[in-house]
Amino acid sequence: MDLQNAVALTLLRGISRPRAAAAFKALTEQSTAVALEEVIAACGADARADALAREARDEAALLLERAHAAGIAVMRCEDETYPPLLRAIGDPPPVLWVRGAIEALTRPAVAIVGSRAATPYALEVAARLARELAARQVVVVSGLARGVDGAAHRGCVEAGGRTLAVLGSGPDVIYPREHDGLAARLCRDGAIVSELGPGAPPLPEHFPLRNRLISGISLGVVVVEASEKSGSLITARCALEQGRDVMAVPGSILGGRNRGSHALLKDGAKVVETADDILEELGWPGLGESVKIFSNPLIQDELLSKLTPGESYDLDELSATVEMDASKLLPRLTEWELLGRLVKVAGGRYKLA
């Protein structure tokens, strides 16, 4: 599907974005050439398909012009710069709107989320974890909200790392406004990401949808200080549905600020005190360490020997070939790239070096 039609797919009146995205994904598994009208029909609106498609295409053309003028990149789900883990979820956005360094979207990432009205303890923990992850070359993902999100982004930026801010508004609409400066800083090496086009306002209904992207881009989600009704628990639930690891930072039992986090721990979430706890849960020793199992050349050879020289593989194919969950495999691919064992080719695919 060309770019204008892909954008139009996200603008269909009366059809939710996740529903349209899931229908498009299902159709593309049957055919490589899918028309916008087919997606509309699959969503049960076949009687209005032509009118809905025409209206959406007109709006898409205007948004693309606006994005080009503002220096906002637009990537389709099939583009090689699209986050590979996000592509694997049940309803990946057909397009992403991105400001900043788009190459950050394909690097191994961990999400840090938590309370907007965070305590000083939570702010310090979020910033420290982000700094430690940045030092280990892991991208930090969060939602640019007040509190824990902002602390995680700042900690990563201050450590010279890459961070992704996933918005519930257009990529040019920073919310809250006091994070304008932080957004500009993180775009130097990281990026602002949204499934909403330029000018989209931060409406309440956008944020639960945004949360599935935070977890979908990430290998795992770390929850720092969440009450029983915290929006961070939505992100954690999305992570579990997507097969991602969920971790939590323990906190005070007084006042109820950590009841959501502690409920996750009671349900089996990993206790996190340092970035090493996160990497251990992901089964990844991190760049710079060489004593863990996947830095062992014999183990590498055993897994990579299952790949056919000259053939290229996408993430799902590699996951099936080496019999490893995609969320566990992605950091291995990066490590093998750095070691010169794999190379990335067009379409986000990999082949033996």
Side-chain angles (χ1 to χ4, degrees), residues 293-304:
I293 185 170
F294 280 96
S295 294
N296 185 326
L298 295 178
I299 301 298
Q300 289 180 31
D301 290 342
E302 180 182 347
L303 292 174
L304 296 177

Side-chain angles (χ1 to χ4, degrees), residues 236-254:
R237 184 167 62 248
C238 291
L240 292 171
E241 292 171 352
Q242 295 163 353
R244 309 296 192 259
D245 288 302
V246 174
M247 296 156 271
V249 175
S252 171
I253 61 172
L254 304 176

Side-chain angles (χ1 to χ4, degrees), residues 3-327:
L3 183 56
Q4 183 176 352
N5 278 293
V7 173
L9 183 60
T10 70
L11 302 170
L12 298 170
R13 304 299 183 195
I15 300 175
S16 72
R17 291 172 181 270
R19 185 180 181 190
F24 176 67
K25 184 175 183 180
L27 288 169
T28 54
E29 291 172 354
Q30 304 168 21
S31 171
T32 55
V34 178
L36 182 59
E37 288 80 2
E38 291 180 80
V39 179
I40 297 172
C43 292
D46 49 322
R48 298 180 295 142
D50 290 342
L52 287 174
R54 184 168 55 253
E55 180 182 6
R57 286 191 186 102
D58 290 344
E59 187 176 350
L62 294 175
L63 280 182
L64 287 169
E65 289 180 8
R66 185 171 179 176
H68 179 74
I72 297 170
V74 192
M75 60 181 66
R76 301 173 301 161
C77 189
E78 55 265 42
D79 292 341
E80 64 180 280
T81 50
Y82 195 94
L85 281 180
L86 184 60
R87 186 187 291 119
I89 72 172
D91 53 354
V95 296
L96 288 177
W97 307 81
V98 182
R99 286 173 54 198
I102 60 174
E103 62 270 18
L105 274 70
T106 57
R107 310 306 295 177
V110 169
I112 298 177
V113 297
S115 172
R116 285 179 169 82
T119 61
Y121 164 79
L123 297 176
E124 175 56 32
V125 169
R128 191 185 74 181
L129 289 175
R131 287 193 296 267
E132 292 176 353
L133 287 170
R136 290 157 176 78
Q137 302 184 43
V138 177
V139 175
V140 174
V141 183
S142 201
L144 202 65
R146 297 182 180 96
V148 165
D149 289 21
H153 291 305
R154 287 191 190 92
C156 187
V157 169
E158 289 166 0
R162 296 177 184 263
T163 180
L164 300 177
V166 186
L167 303 189
S169 56
D172 56 341
V173 180
I174 303 304
Y175 178 81
R177 290 303 300 272
E178 63 258 33
H179 283 172
D180 277 345
L182 177 59
R185 288 177 66 195
L186 71 84
C187 281
R188 295 171 191 168
D189 296 303
I192 291 171
V193 185
S194 180
E195 67 175 319
L196 303 167
L203 301 178
E205 59 265 29
H206 293 165
F207 291 92
L209 297 178
R210 180 276 307 265
N211 291 346
R212 87 189 195 283
L213 305 189
I214 292 176
S215 57
I217 289 173
S218 307
L219 294 159
V221 172
V222 181
V223 178
V224 180
E225 196 173 77
S227 66
E228 291 176 300
K229 296 183 179 181
S230 171
S232 303
L233 300 184
I234 299 175
T235 308
R237 184 167 62 248
C238 291
L240 292 171
E241 292 171 352
Q242 295 163 353
R244 309 296 192 259
D245 288 302
V246 174
M247 296 156 271
V249 175
S252 171
I253 61 172
L254 304 176
R257 286 181 174 273
N258 289 287
R259 284 179 183 162
S261 305
H262 290 173
L264 292 174
L265 293 172
K266 290 176 182 178
D267 288 339
K270 165 95 173 174
V271 173
V272 167
E273 295 179 350
T274 69
D276 289 335
D277 295 327
I278 299 170
L279 298 182
E280 179 183 345
E281 179 68 6
L282 296 175
W284 185 29
L287 303 177
E289 293 188 24
S290 59
V291 298
K292 301 294 181 85
I293 185 170
F294 280 96
S295 294
N296 185 326
L298 295 178
I299 301 298
Q300 289 180 31
D301 290 342
E302 180 182 347
L303 292 174
L304 296 177
S305 67
K306 297 181 179 180
L307 307 184
T308 302
E311 294 289 328
S312 65
Y313 303 81
D314 64 20
L315 184 61
D316 290 337
E317 291 168 336
L318 281 169
S319 178
T321 300
V322 302
E323 300 176 349
M324 183 184 296
D325 185 83
S327 63

